[in-house]
Amino acid sequence: MQTNLLSKVTNDKSIPMSDSIDHPQLCQWLKAVAETRDKRAFTHLFAFFAPKIQRISRRKFPNDAQANEVVQETMSNVWRKAHLFDADKGAATTWVYTVMRNVSFDMLRKIKGNKEDNLSDDIWPIAESLQAEDSSFEDHLENKQLLNVIENLPEAQQQVVKGFYLMEMSQEQLATHLNLPLGTIKSRLRLALAKLKVQLGEKHD
Amino acid sequence: MIKHHPTFELIQSYVNGDLPASLSAGISIHAEMCPKCQQHISQLTEQIAAVSFEEDSFDIEYFEESSFEENSFEQLAEAGDFKLNIDEMVSNITQSKDITQVVSSTEKCISFNNKKYTLPRALNNMQLDKPVNIGKLSRARIQLSENEIHTSLLKINPGGGVPQHTHNGFELTLLLDGSFHDEQGEYHKGDFIMLDGSHQHNPVSDQGCLCFTVANGALHFTQGINKLLNPIGSFIY
Ligand SMILES: [Zn+2]
């Protein structure tokens, strides 16, 4: 089970640029669209994602009209399916990416094979495509070595790690509880996990 | 115990949406039965998504504006060589009051010789032909219009097998139910077996099995009398 933690850390670290994306802000906009059909929040989402979707689609589709259709379809789905986004299961970028990927896939089938069978949501079901990776940490509880390592973290990181893993609080709950911005919680958690990885060392990998 | 998994390259193409529907469905079905691959897929999706939507220069400029100004979209449009009419698209999209409900699509079943199988979700909206039989094999073609790629459900009845053969292209066999064995060993439910033209094999199923198969070239039978079967090689896969 130890490797579980380590693979999580590895995964966490292997998204080098994700710090440059304001994930909590994207989540908030998506929630606002889902809960109050907030057009302003949607406009922000559109401004963030649409140019990127267009750029990605231009590489996949022979002409700009088709790339623009992917933008239109993907963003329509974001508007209509926002309530299916679950922030606990993954980042907003991951969710929008899967929506875009599915739209492109069905469109390419239509263009190449003349088939309008819309298979993508069966192949990659949106609602469940992102399985929670935070599988239980219970086994680690028994691991004194891990606990010792946690005890050696700076106090601020300890609070977050213990709350998140040992008490199974969400990052949002921790933010409220500790009266800190969500971004701070996330970066402390990231730092702490990076340290844990170093201290638990290669012997587990 | 599942022992055979799709390669990293295949999983990556699957996440990117670059594989044909037939192979995508194969990986989807395997992942449903294989938590290990499911987790790889989740992680890879997260990483690819993050990289795809990384900031670039004009977005960062936009993002750092704390206050939201009406004309910022126009600037954005110019900066990014973005020929979409954002205001119009946004207002068109947000006019819609529709909310997409997830309908759990009804399960699809198929019967081979009176044995009924519930098919994996990935096949729910695929068009299935009626099974045709040859000896101890029954095959139902799945109509995906992918040119030289043929996708099928293949039922091997107890004691049946596919004669020694090679492939012109690739051949995916995904075990949906039961087991079979060939010269390499025993295969079980969930195993994802990808072979190319360099392999020869002769799968036999003692108890019978149901497979999802994808192949992009007709089988080529290699042994003795079986060579006579070559004209029907394309029947099986
Ligand atoms: Zn697997």
Side-chain angles (χ1 to χ4, degrees):
Chain A
M1 287 306 284
Q2 197 87 76
T3 46
N4 231 4
L5 167 73
L6 295 174
S7 71
K8 188 184 157 65
V9 176
T10 311
N11 181 35
D12 207 44
K13 286 188 75 180
S14 57
I15 311 173
M17 297 303 288
S18 62
D19 275 344
S20 64
I21 298 177
D22 190 349
H23 289 290
Q25 177 66 79
L26 293 175
C27 282
Q28 241 171 49
W29 286 332
L30 263 181
K31 270 188 193 160
V33 170
E35 285 161 14
T36 62
R37 310 305 281 152
D38 186 334
K39 292 186 183 178
R40 210 176 122 103
F42 181 75
T43 311
H44 281 292
L45 287 170
F46 195 99
F48 178 81
F49 283 111
K52 299 180 169 80
I53 295 171
Q54 193 193 41
R55 206 172 46 221
I56 295 165
S57 305
R58 275 180 173 160
R59 274 182 251 131
K60 273 199 179 182
F61 289 84
N63 69 57
D64 284 0
Q66 288 162 343
N68 290 356
E69 205 181 323
V70 176
V71 177
Q72 165 79 30
E73 262 310 290
T74 303
M75 293 314 294
S76 296
N77 283 345
V78 168
W79 174 250
R80 290 189 308 237
K81 295 182 175 177
H83 61 288
L84 300 177
F85 168 68
D86 181 349
D88 294 335
K89 286 189 178 170
T93 41
T94 312
W95 187 74
V96 175
Y97 177 84
T98 60
V99 173
M100 172 188 73
R101 190 256 330 271
N102 287 13
V103 165
S104 307
F105 183 85
D106 287 335
M107 259 184 66
L108 277 170
R109 260 184 80 66
K110 205 156 80 181
I111 295 166
K112 284 188 198 159
N114 210 15
K115 293 284 265 189
E116 295 198 39
D117 41 13
N118 299 323
L119 302 174
S120 67
D121 287 348
D122 295 325
I123 294 172
W124 300 273
I126 293 276
E128 13 164 337
S129 60
L130 314 164
Q131 290 208 341
E133 284 157 31
D134 306 332
S135 49
S136 102
F137 206 75
E138 282 162 41
D139 304 56
H140 301 295
L141 273 176
E142 295 160 15
N143 189 318
K144 287 200 179 124
Q145 189 204 359
L146 180 68
L147 276 177
N148 286 339
V149 175
I150 293 178
E151 298 292 342
N152 287 326
L153 290 171
E155 179 62 27
Q157 290 172 19
Q158 257 188 58
Q159 278 182 328
V160 180
V161 170
K162 283 182 176 169
F164 186 66
Y165 285 112
L166 308 186
M167 289 154 68
E168 294 189 295
M169 293 169 79
S170 71
Q171 301 190 14
E172 285 79 9
Q173 284 171 328
L174 277 166
T176 314
H177 183 70
L178 298 171
N179 197 21
L180 288 167
L182 189 57
T184 310
I185 300 290
K186 285 182 192 282
S187 59
R188 280 189 190 170
L189 200 54
R190 187 183 293 259
L191 274 175
L193 289 174
K195 270 193 196 143
L196 286 181
K197 192 190 179 192
V198 172
Q199 298 204 20
L200 289 170
E202 263 54 63
K203 57 182 171 256
H204 292 288
D205 235 336
Chain B
M1 232 318 247
I2 299 178
K3 281 193 197 144
H4 301 268
H5 308 269
T7 59
F8 177 80
E9 286 70 23
L10 267 184
I11 287 183
Q12 193 175 30
S13 309
Y14 167 78
V15 168
N16 281 323
D18 292 337
L19 291 179
S22 47
L23 289 177
S24 301
I27 292 177
S28 171
I29 296 166
H30 171 80
E32 244 189 327
M33 298 188 267
C34 178
K36 195 182 126 197
C37 286
Q38 182 57 60
Q39 199 186 349
H40 282 168
I41 290 167
S42 301
Q43 288 179 351
L44 204 58
T45 308
E46 196 177 332
Q47 290 170 17
I48 291 175
V51 170
S52 301
F53 293 134
E54 256 167 34
E55 302 297 311
D56 54 26
S57 53
F58 73 86
D59 287 322
I60 288 170
E61 274 169 39
Y62 165 74
F63 231 69
E64 282 170 356
E65 279 174 32
S66 51
S67 68
F68 184 78
E69 289 163 41
E70 281 304 312
N71 63 0
S72 59
F73 290 132
E74 254 167 67
Q75 288 164 8
L76 179 76
E78 285 165 24
D81 183 27
F82 189 54
K83 297 196 196 80
L84 298 169
N85 186 335
I86 295 187
D87 290 337
E88 194 185 306
M89 288 181 82
V90 167
S91 79
N92 278 344
I93 290 171
T94 55
Q95 256 172 24
S96 160
K97 292 202 165 48
D98 295 350
I99 288 178
T100 307
Q101 302 299 341
V102 183
V103 208
S104 47
S105 43
T106 44
E107 286 178 337
K108 200 177 179 116
C109 295
I110 188 166
S111 291
F112 285 104
N113 316 319
N114 297 324
K115 186 163 181 197
K116 196 173 164 189
Y117 294 93
T118 303
L119 295 178
R121 185 210 49 236
L123 311 183
N124 270 346
N125 287 294
M126 294 184 182
Q127 188 196 326
L128 277 177
D129 288 355
K130 280 214 179 74
V132 278
N133 302 304
I134 177 167
K136 289 189 168 175
L137 302 173
S138 312
R139 185 216 69 194
R141 198 66 102 197
I142 302 176
Q143 295 300 345
L144 289 172
S145 305
E146 293 182 321
N147 301 321
E148 78 286 359
I149 299 177
H150 291 163
T151 306
S152 313
L153 289 169
L154 180 69
K155 171 78 200 282
I156 304 180
N157 288 309
V162 182
Q164 180 87 35
H165 63 278
T166 55
H167 316 275
N168 293 335
F170 67 83
E171 173 198 284
L172 165 68
T173 307
L174 173 60
L175 256 164
L176 301 179
D177 196 51
S179 64
F180 71 78
H181 56 87
D182 65 12
E183 296 79 353
Q184 316 295 320
E186 182 93 18
Y187 303 91
H188 300 279
K189 183 173 174 171
D191 273 333
F192 185 102
I193 307 136
M194 191 65 143
L195 298 175
D196 64 30
S198 63
H199 294 83
Q200 283 195 13
H201 73 151
N202 173 25
V204 173
S205 181
D206 299 332
Q207 311 294 323
C209 64
L210 179 68
C211 305
F212 172 81
T213 66
V214 184
N216 75 339
L219 300 193
H220 184 79
F221 295 107
T222 51
Q223 270 181 348
I225 190 91
N226 288 325
K227 284 185 183 160
L228 293 174
L229 290 172
N230 273 332
I232 56 156
S234 61
F235 165 88
I236 297 173
Y237 273 78

